[in-house]
Amino acid sequence: STQSTWGEAAIDPKVQEISIAVYRLAENSRIVHALINAAKNGKKVNCLVELRARFDEQNNITWSRRLEEEGVNVLYGVENYKVHSKICLVKRLEKEKSAYYACLSTGNFNEKTAKLYADHTIFTADKRLTGDLVKVFRALGKNTLAKDIEHLIVSPIDSRPAIYKLIDNEIKNAKAGKKAYMILKMNSLADEQMISKLYQANNAGVKINLIIRGMCCLVPGMKGFSENIDVISIVDKYLEHSRVHVYCNGGNELVYLTSADFMTRNIDNRVEVGFPIYDEQLRKEVRDIIDIQLSDNTKAREINSHNTNKYHKTNSEILSRAQIDIYNYL
């Protein structure tokens, strides 16, 4: 678990530095205790605490003071931009060289919500991702926005152009008669420009499946706008909180996870981090989970132009409840 990883990093004599961005902390956060322990063990610990996290302002202020008292280098982000990223980077000395290990997530580093929310988290030593993350933390340490990022998709600078490029690639392939599709899962879809882009993809013949738990301002199933777009919403025991993007990419699928929804605040006014899944096995696992969710005919509801929100029916006679089926799959 992420919790045990930080506990181990705190006492590992080869770990030199830990950098982390936190948005919502648990009331008695064991993650914070691990960071304090690491600082006491002589490691450099950088912790960005977002003091403007809605409903958690007081809790985060309390923790930031405690961290500072214990010798942690507390960062407060970039002026005018909330830091909503869920990222951590561990620097470790191996064979007299610095090695980096990253933890990137769609959900908060919070033990309480981790028991209630459904999210995706990856641990990686992939130098393409850790190299970009070094740049992100370096910029945050200077209260600036990261630039020259190659593999991650980082708001507010990169997200809109990077996502447009991925969608434009599907549009180009559809117009060339190639297979083209997107599957996008998120909490909310409200950004007008992004919705217009999805309508444009629809009109080019791109097949689009959306899994939107909350607010969806796109209207599916409208001729000339969105007849190739299907939208479902899954509300079940655990809060669906992961954000997943799947792009056909001419048959060589691209899968991204991200902390951002398609809302203007996430794309243009926050520091968010999206990350590609390069590992083939992990990519298949995420894709399988998405397929299970698209097959849900028990808790999924159809979002349509009539706002009837009727339960989603599939061709299968077998009842499928995504959260239980995913548990059994894993």
Side-chain angles (χ1 to χ4, degrees):
S1 70
T2 53
Q3 210 169 282
S4 60
T5 300
W6 286 307
E8 289 170 20
I11 59 174
D12 184 342
K14 291 187 177 181
V15 168
Q16 297 178 311
E17 186 173 0
I18 301 171
S19 301
I20 187 171
V22 293
Y23 192 73
R24 296 192 192 280
L25 287 163
E27 198 169 321
N28 187 25
S29 174
R30 280 174 279 182
I31 291 166
V32 168
H33 290 303
L35 296 175
I36 290 170
N37 193 22
K40 286 181 175 178
N41 287 333
K43 303 174 194 317
K44 185 178 180 184
V45 181
N46 310 299
C47 182
L48 189 146
V49 183
E50 181 48 73
L51 300 183
R52 294 162 292 183
R54 194 170 44 164
F55 308 127
D56 281 285
E57 296 92 340
Q58 185 56 57
N59 191 46
N60 285 4
I61 289 169
T62 301
W63 276 125
S64 63
R65 286 173 178 161
R66 173 80 190 280
L67 285 162
E68 283 183 331
E69 288 167 3
E70 299 288 356
V72 172
N73 177 33
V74 177
L75 310 171
Y76 294 105
V78 185
E79 189 177 356
N80 299 324
Y81 295 97
K82 269 189 185 181
V83 179
H84 190 247
S85 316
K86 293 89 169 65
I87 50 176
C88 179
L89 187 68
V90 175
K91 180 182 176 183
R92 193 171 186 267
L93 191 65
E94 296 178 4
K95 296 178 182 176
E96 298 182 354
K97 290 183 179 179
S98 294
Y100 290 94
Y101 297 88
C103 174
L104 304 107
S105 184
T106 64
N108 298 304
F109 298 139
N110 181 314
E111 306 94 304
K112 185 178 178 182
T113 57
K115 295 175 181 177
L116 305 169
Y117 291 17
D119 276 296
H120 294 298
T121 301
I122 67 162
F123 290 100
T124 182
D126 190 308
K127 291 179 181 177
R128 292 169 291 186
L129 303 183
T130 59
D132 274 358
L133 211 50
V134 168
K135 294 177 186 176
V136 171
F137 275 112
R138 193 174 290 153
L140 291 174
K142 297 176 182 176
N143 299 323
T144 60
L145 300 171
K147 296 178 181 177
D148 301 319
I149 302 298
E150 296 177 44
H151 300 275
L152 301 178
I153 296 178
V154 184
S155 292
I157 293 174
D158 302 324
S159 283
R160 198 176 289 280
I163 294 167
Y164 282 5
K165 186 177 178 182
L166 289 163
I167 296 173
D168 283 337
N169 186 49
E170 296 304 320
I171 292 171
K172 182 187 77 174
N173 286 339
K175 287 180 175 178
K178 297 178 183 177
K179 195 172 186 180
Y181 61 80
M182 290 181 279
I183 307 168
L184 307 174
K185 178 177 188 284
M186 61 195 73
N187 294 337
S188 299
L189 170 56
D191 182 80
E192 290 184 17
Q193 293 176 61
M194 205 60 83
I195 290 169
S196 295
K197 197 72 181 172
L198 293 175
Y199 286 152
Q200 183 188 343
N202 169 89
N203 290 338
V206 180
K207 175 62 183 164
I208 304 171
N209 284 98
L210 303 176
I211 306 173
I212 314 292
R213 190 200 74 234
M215 179 170 34
C216 180
C217 297
L218 177 146
V219 182
M222 302 288 285
K223 190 169 177 58
F225 281 94
S226 56
E227 63 267 40
N228 296 315
I229 304 177
D230 291 320
V231 187
I232 62 169
S233 170
I234 299 174
V235 178
D236 204 343
K237 180 177 180 179
Y238 300 103
L239 185 81
E240 290 293 338
H241 193 256
S242 62
R243 291 91 166 186
V244 184
H245 297 188
V246 179
Y247 300 94
C248 176
N249 190 38
N252 185 23
E253 269 191 1
L254 300 174
V255 177
Y256 287 84
L257 304 178
T258 179
S259 61
D261 293 314
F262 278 4
M263 299 182 74
T264 306
R265 70 185 189 195
N266 297 108
I267 298 167
D268 298 330
N269 301 318
R270 287 185 176 184
V271 178
E272 306 270 10
V273 173
F275 43 100
I277 304 298
Y278 287 135
D279 182 271
E280 191 175 335
Q281 189 176 343
L282 289 181
R283 196 163 57 236
K284 181 184 182 302
E285 183 177 299
V286 173
R287 187 65 165 89
D288 287 347
I289 288 171
I290 287 294
D291 284 341
I292 291 170
Q293 290 174 330
L294 290 172
S295 300
D296 190 310
N297 56 16
T298 305
K299 287 293 183 179
R301 291 181 180 270
E302 290 180 8
I303 306 300
N304 57 41
S305 58
H306 305 294
N307 283 330
T308 51
N309 292 331
K310 62 182 180 180
Y311 279 110
H312 176 58
K313 299 300 177 190
T314 63
N315 295 326
S316 175
E317 293 181 8
I318 300 169
L319 288 178
S320 174
R321 185 173 171 182
Q323 290 191 354
I324 290 175
D325 292 347
I326 290 166
Y327 177 84
N328 292 331
Y329 168 82
L330 294 172

